[in-house]
Amino acid sequence: MKNYNLAVIPGDGIGKPMTMAAWDVLTKVAAQSGFSLSQVTFPWSCDYYLQTGEMMPADGIETLRPFDAILLGAVGWPVKVPDSVSLHGLLLPIRKAFVQYANVRPHRLLAGVEGPLRSPNFDILCVRENSEGEYSGAGGRVHQGQPNEVAIETAVFTRSGVERILRYAFEQARRRRGKLASVTKSNAQKHSMVFWDDMTDELSREYPDVEVERYHIDAMAARMVMAPASLDVVVASNLFGDILTDIGAAIQGGLGFAASANIDPHRNGPSMFEPVHGSAPDIAHLGIANPIATIWSAAMMLDHLGEHSAASRIMAALEKTTAQGVGTAPGKDKTDRIKTTVLAALE
Ligand code: IPM
Ligand code: MN
């Protein structure tokens, strides 16, 4: 029987109950689908940092490398550890080390979920560049505390980096409804963003079957609210994609539904699957966090591993759950009730 060996990093706050719920769903669907799953849980988190001085051990990346995939709950507990430390010590190094350059986030309403919009019929796949751009980490801060203090954060756009994310987005568009929206701010940022537009034009010649539209980020932010049904695949730089996918989460009913995959399409190392919501310190002890985003991310993981029908089974169980009115609004149901409903829906 085929076995997949997973690294599970629950992380902080609601990360632990969310990954536990997803794990229960994963093992059930695996048993139904004729493959098995093994896992190692890593305690890397802000608590781990407080005990050891590091978010993960020095050989953490090498430890993760042999796994088939990584399931991550959430990273961050800002009252104990600044986000700039926790995220740069765990989440972001994993994305970078394993060249998970495609951050893929689906935005659509599950059956029975009422989002804030009047038009519910959208189905958007956001493809966010995940390795460079505005989050390159290049920059510095000098003359700290002096009146002439300077902080510089350099956005980095490389030909290889832009080409590979656009190519990935074109491929996704080809597999879906054949439409690609490429998002920049090339009217104001005349170097990097004009370059991105040029690369989009260059690649579009290889994908004549994909209809490409270019948007500026401000216009796209409005479009995702006003006319989301007009969109199919949306591709954007790291920062722009980060912002747009929070809008995506909002229109799909909230962060409790926002799944994501950090993918290395070349499969040189493990890809990582995580909900968008973060550790949610405000509700972490209430047992009411919605595990749907993590379970959906787990379905994306199975899809990536080639277990397409098992992934579809999970998505069907999620829809069956929300169609019954369970887990459809923030705080409405306990985590446990949502999980057991999903498990029952898998029968
Ligand atoms: C996300 C998050 C992260 C990001 C933060 C926590 C660094 O907002 O996954 O969208 O911007 O990538
Ligand atoms: Mn974000």
Side-chain angles (χ1 to χ4, degrees):
M1 186 164 36
K2 179 104 183 113
N3 182 69
Y4 301 97
N5 194 21
L6 307 178
V8 180
I9 308 175
D12 298 298
I14 61 170
K16 195 175 263 177
M18 297 304 99
T19 48
M20 279 168 61
W23 180 255
D24 289 351
V25 171
L26 280 168
T27 47
K28 178 152 192 173
V29 82
Q32 291 172 330
S33 308
F35 61 91
S36 63
L37 296 169
S38 52
Q39 61 105 15
V40 179
T41 296
F42 295 95
W44 307 337
S45 59
C46 289
D47 282 334
Y48 184 88
Y49 177 87
L50 293 176
Q51 285 157 20
T52 65
E54 303 174 301
M55 289 298 295
M56 65 175 157
D59 63 354
I61 294 296
E62 288 321 304
T63 305
L64 293 173
R65 196 178 294 280
F67 285 91
D68 292 308
I70 304 164
L71 181 68
L72 182 134
V75 182
W77 201 260
V79 294
K80 291 190 201 162
V81 182
D83 281 344
S84 57
V85 172
S86 59
L87 291 160
H88 285 273
L90 188 55
L91 177 69
L92 300 177
I94 295 174
R95 286 180 181 170
K96 283 210 172 100
F98 296 123
V99 204
Q100 296 164 349
Y101 64 83
N103 187 315
V104 182
R105 298 180 165 179
H107 302 295
R108 63 186 174 81
L109 287 163
L110 296 181
V113 179
E114 273 185 39
L117 303 184
R118 259 174 295 172
S119 77
N121 295 321
F122 57 88
D123 181 354
I124 302 172
L125 190 73
C126 276
V127 174
R128 165 190 176 189
E129 203 294 316
N130 210 27
S131 66
E132 54 173 36
E134 307 87 343
Y135 293 5
S136 69
R141 211 167 138 183
V142 289
H143 310 305
Q144 290 201 28
Q146 306 299 321
N148 60 339
E149 180 164 357
V150 183
I152 294 172
E153 190 100 34
T154 305
V156 173
F157 290 86
T158 64
R159 177 171 275 269
S160 57
V162 175
E163 181 179 340
R164 67 189 181 183
I165 195 64
L166 288 173
R167 200 172 278 289
Y168 184 84
F170 272 105
E171 296 288 343
Q172 296 307 306
R174 191 170 255 181
R175 256 180 247 145
R176 288 168 49 100
R177 301 190 303 280
K179 280 176 69 173
L180 178 64
S182 177
V183 181
T184 66
K185 186 63 187 174
S186 54
N187 52 354
Q189 297 185 299
K190 64 180 184 178
H191 306 298
S192 57
M193 296 281 104
V194 172
F195 170 59
W196 181 292
D197 279 351
D198 288 348
M199 291 297 296
T200 304
D201 290 347
E202 201 175 305
L203 276 178
S204 72
R205 281 176 228 128
E206 287 181 46
Y207 296 88
D209 48 323
V210 175
E211 183 195 323
V212 186
E213 295 247 39
R214 301 196 321 208
Y215 294 90
H216 295 310
I217 177 66
D218 42 0
M220 178 54 80
R223 177 165 287 266
M224 280 184 69
V225 174
M226 302 305 290
S230 67
L231 299 166
D232 179 12
V233 176
V234 174
V235 64
S237 65
N238 212 332
L239 173 64
F240 292 171
D242 186 23
I243 297 166
L244 289 179
T245 54
D246 261 36
I247 298 178
I251 64 172
Q252 74 188 131
L255 284 165
F257 300 99
S260 100
N262 303 275
I263 290 181
D264 166 16
H266 309 293
R267 297 167 187 269
N268 292 319
S271 291
M272 176 165 65
F273 301 82
E274 51 156 344
V276 179
H277 50 57
S279 63
D282 52 334
I283 59 155
H285 302 294
L286 302 178
I288 55 163
N290 194 335
I292 288 178
T294 312
I295 296 170
W296 190 336
S297 305
M300 294 176 82
M301 178 174 73
L302 292 184
D303 224 12
H304 178 76
L305 293 171
E307 298 295 343
H308 307 297
S309 68
S312 303
R313 278 187 82 102
I314 294 183
M315 291 315 297
L318 288 180
E319 298 256 14
K320 207 166 154 193
T321 298
T322 52
Q324 290 168 49
V326 175
T328 48
K332 188 174 151 289
D333 296 295
K334 294 271 185 196
T335 302
D336 211 54
R337 163 137 203 260
I338 302 171
K339 181 190 81 175
T340 21
T341 312
V342 176
L343 288 171
L346 277 173
E347 293 299 341

